[in-house]
Amino acid sequence: MSRLSEIPLSVLDLAPIGSGSDATTALRNSRELAQQADRLGYQRYWFAEHHNMPGIASSAPAVLIEHIASATERIRVGSGGVMLPNHAPLVVAEQFGMLEALHPGRIDLGIGRAPGTDQKTARALRRTEAGLSAENFPQELTELIGYFEGTGELNAVPAAGNKPPIWLLGSSGYSAQAAGLLGLPFAFAHHFSAQNTLPALALYRKHFRPSEVLSEPYAMVCASVVVADSDEHARYLAGPGALSFVKLRQGRPGPLATPEEAAAYPYTEIDELVIEDRMATQIIGSPETVRAGLDELLDSTAADELMVTTIVHGLQDRLRSFELLSELAERTPALDRSAAHT
């Protein structure tokens, strides 16, 4: 039996803004995608925090989480993640305490330790140099948890008594070790740091200490996945995501191109090498190809949960990819095997 049918399946959404479109449409698409994921039995729907990115509309995860939680019935909604250096812990506690109070048992708080943006933007967000270094992360995480547990110096209303499950996110070993030592669930960004996936998961499991949250490690991996009716069509649909990565490396981020625009782009030899390296760790193809790729990933990582991010231009193509993937996973709305659910 495929491991894909044995574990929870979740979604990471960046709310991509397509060429010729706008942020309003991107956010409307996220709502429709989340509603479909809810119907298909996906476990979670998370939003990544990005700033100063013309092609990504998910700059305010807390606002998006409220919107999507109100528009869905069952699926857990959360951040993948809130980048803690960008925010005062008190504000994060108040926002996510309120979300949990409004939608009990359906909110996740995924925390990252890097700003996830350039330093100029990070300073504009925080309005100070203080706290911008990842070295401040342990203290700020402790402060944040204290507000939820009612042990902080201030009252973060309504955070106390409304603590959502806290996940640590990572793309290297630091957060993996921290999550293990704190006994928290860990989500790894395989979709952009594949070379670090296995070492980080090994560190997480090695350093894991049982806590009130978890008695044993719980690891989720996030993979870039595009499923279509054929390998050729899936690769065609994945073209815009590859072009976005090329432009990001060149310091020219922009809206997500159409497949036609991506296919017609004048790639250099270096661009082609960058794309080849990037796409080698993505899982793109027909249902059969994707099943084999995901089974290999899940076997190698022994992940407890799989999260997918699907960067394609057209809404209907994204909806179709989610639908095909849920069929592969034999997903049903009642499925809920997450050790971090409560």
Side-chain angles (χ1 to χ4, degrees):
M1 177 182 290
S2 169
R3 281 208 70 227
L4 189 57
S5 62
E6 299 174 347
I7 66 172
L9 182 62
S10 298
V11 176
L12 175 67
D13 188 1
L14 278 64
I17 302 172
S19 173
S21 187
D22 55 27
T24 297
T25 301
L27 298 174
R28 187 182 301 123
N29 290 346
S30 288
R31 176 188 174 108
E32 187 167 344
L33 287 159
Q35 290 173 329
Q36 185 204 46
D38 193 23
R39 291 191 298 270
L40 292 175
Y42 282 79
Q43 176 82 350
R44 312 175 198 279
Y45 202 95
W46 283 7
F47 290 99
E49 178 187 340
H50 289 280
H51 303 277
N52 197 27
M53 298 286 287
I56 296 178
S58 58
S59 58
V63 179
L64 262 176
I65 290 167
E66 164 55 30
H67 178 61
I68 298 304
S70 295
T72 52
E73 298 179 359
R74 174 203 56 83
I75 198 166
R76 298 186 65 87
V77 190
S79 58
V82 165
M83 311 314 288
L84 195 53
N86 296 340
H87 310 283
L90 175 62
V91 173
V92 177
E94 290 176 338
Q95 290 176 344
F96 279 79
M98 184 169 293
L99 287 168
E100 178 67 19
L102 290 169
H103 306 281
R106 291 188 57 210
I107 303 299
D108 293 325
L109 173 53
I111 294 290
R113 76 179 185 98
T117 187
D118 59 272
Q119 285 297 305
K120 183 177 181 180
T121 305
R123 285 193 297 271
L125 286 163
R126 198 66 180 259
R127 299 180 65 189
T128 176
E129 296 284 348
L132 292 180
S133 171
E135 295 177 359
N136 299 98
F137 182 75
Q139 294 81 9
E140 297 205 333
L141 179 61
T142 299
E143 181 183 346
L144 172 65
I145 293 173
Y147 289 132
F148 285 116
E149 296 181 346
T151 58
E153 295 182 358
L154 305 173
N155 294 315
V157 182
N162 288 298
K163 179 184 178 183
I166 294 176
W167 292 67
L168 290 194
L169 280 55
S171 58
S172 64
Y174 181 96
S175 292
Q177 293 184 66
L181 291 171
L182 293 171
L184 294 175
F186 178 58
F188 189 82
H190 176 80
H191 60 298
F192 67 80
S193 186
Q195 71 278 10
N196 291 325
T197 303
L198 296 182
L201 292 177
L203 282 172
Y204 171 58
R205 290 164 179 145
K206 175 182 178 181
H207 291 278
F208 183 83
R209 296 177 181 175
S211 67
E212 294 181 358
V213 177
L214 291 175
S215 59
E216 58 187 23
Y218 191 90
M220 176 164 63
V221 293
C222 181
S224 182
V225 176
V226 177
V227 196
D229 294 316
S230 69
D231 288 350
E232 182 181 13
H233 190 53
R235 288 192 295 267
Y236 178 67
L237 295 178
L243 177 56
S244 288
F245 184 67
V246 168
K247 289 186 173 181
L248 181 62
R249 283 176 58 92
Q250 296 171 346
R252 301 187 298 118
L256 185 67
T258 65
E260 295 81 7
E261 290 169 339
Y265 187 82
Y267 298 99
T268 66
E269 290 186 10
I270 293 177
D271 293 340
E272 296 283 5
L273 290 173
V274 168
I275 290 174
E276 182 180 357
D277 181 66
R278 175 75 169 180
M279 298 187 76
T281 58
Q282 299 183 1
I283 302 171
I284 299 166
S286 66
E288 295 76 15
T289 298
V290 168
R291 185 201 302 273
L294 289 177
D295 279 345
E296 182 179 353
L297 174 65
L298 294 173
D299 286 342
S300 65
T301 61
D304 301 289
E305 186 168 339
L306 174 68
M307 179 166 276
V308 300
T309 183
T310 300
I311 305 299
V312 299
H313 183 274
L315 172 62
Q316 293 307 314
D317 292 321
R318 290 181 77 194
L319 290 168
R320 179 62 173 160
S321 185
F322 284 174
E323 180 182 18
L324 290 172
L325 184 58
S326 73
E327 291 173 0
L328 284 177
E330 302 174 4
R331 198 59 43 201
T332 62
L335 181 64
D336 185 353
R337 300 192 182 101
S338 170
H341 180 67
T342 57

